[in-house]
């Protein structure tokens, strides 16, 4: 037991990453692939030629891959949530009264 070699996990407290995708973007890409599978099935059941179905799904798949990787590189792990939260912050706060700025009990 004195000669035991242990590997140290260097990934503690790091976000989940797979092939460059970070955190929630992995799930977004998985959902996109499932959606493409459903689109292919619907097009095939409608009666479209299978090569046309593959072409449409291929183009949509490429667009989803590019979009998800772009979002992952642009916003990172928490950036998309921060962007969505920033929309809910008001641009201007109007106050028609001085009451919020008056401190009671202090002498000037």
């Amino acid at each position: 037991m004195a000669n035991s070699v242990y590997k140290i996990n260097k990934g503690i407290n790091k976000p989940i990453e797979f092939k460059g995708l970070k955190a929630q973007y992995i799930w977004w890409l998985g959902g996109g692939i499932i959606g493409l599978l459903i689109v292919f099935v619907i097009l095939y059941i409608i009666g479209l030629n299978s090569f046309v179905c593959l072409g449409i799904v291929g183009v949509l798949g490429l667009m989803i891959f590019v979009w998800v990787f772009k979002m992952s590189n642009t916003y990172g792990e928490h950036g998309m949530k921060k962007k969505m939260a920033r929309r809910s912050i008001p641009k201007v706060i109007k106050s028609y009264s001085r009451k919020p700025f008056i401190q009671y009990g202090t002498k000037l």
Side-chain angles (χ1 to χ4, degrees), residues 36-48:
L36 288 174
L37 179 66
I38 293 169
V39 167
F40 177 80
V41 168
I42 290 171
L43 291 176
Y44 190 75
I45 290 174
I46 288 174
L48 243 55

Side-chain angles (χ1 to χ4, degrees), residues 7-107:
K7 292 183 180 180
I8 298 172
N9 185 1
K10 300 276 184 178
I12 297 172
N13 290 332
K14 284 190 175 181
I16 297 171
E17 186 172 344
F18 178 73
K19 304 278 186 185
L21 289 178
K22 298 175 189 87
Q24 75 268 15
Y25 301 105
I26 297 170
W27 296 106
W28 287 25
L29 186 60
I33 291 171
I34 299 290
L36 288 174
L37 179 66
I38 293 169
V39 167
F40 177 80
V41 168
I42 290 171
L43 291 176
Y44 190 75
I45 290 174
I46 288 174
L48 243 55
N49 188 357
S50 60
F51 291 115
V52 174
C53 295
L54 284 175
I56 292 171
V57 169
V59 169
L60 290 175
L62 182 66
M63 289 170 46
I64 288 174
F65 265 82
V66 169
W67 180 69
V68 170
F69 272 93
K70 180 183 169 198
M71 298 285 277
S72 179
N73 290 334
T74 302
Y75 298 116
E77 181 185 4
H78 300 293
M80 189 64 175
K81 290 183 240 176
K82 290 179 183 178
K83 182 181 179 187
M84 293 173 102
R86 190 172 293 133
R87 290 181 185 172
S88 65
I89 297 173
K91 302 223 183 286
V92 177
I93 298 175
K94 292 183 179 181
S95 175
Y96 296 106
S97 170
R98 292 178 51 103
K99 283 185 180 180
F101 304 105
I102 297 174
Q103 295 178 353
Y104 296 104
T106 59
K107 295 181 180 179

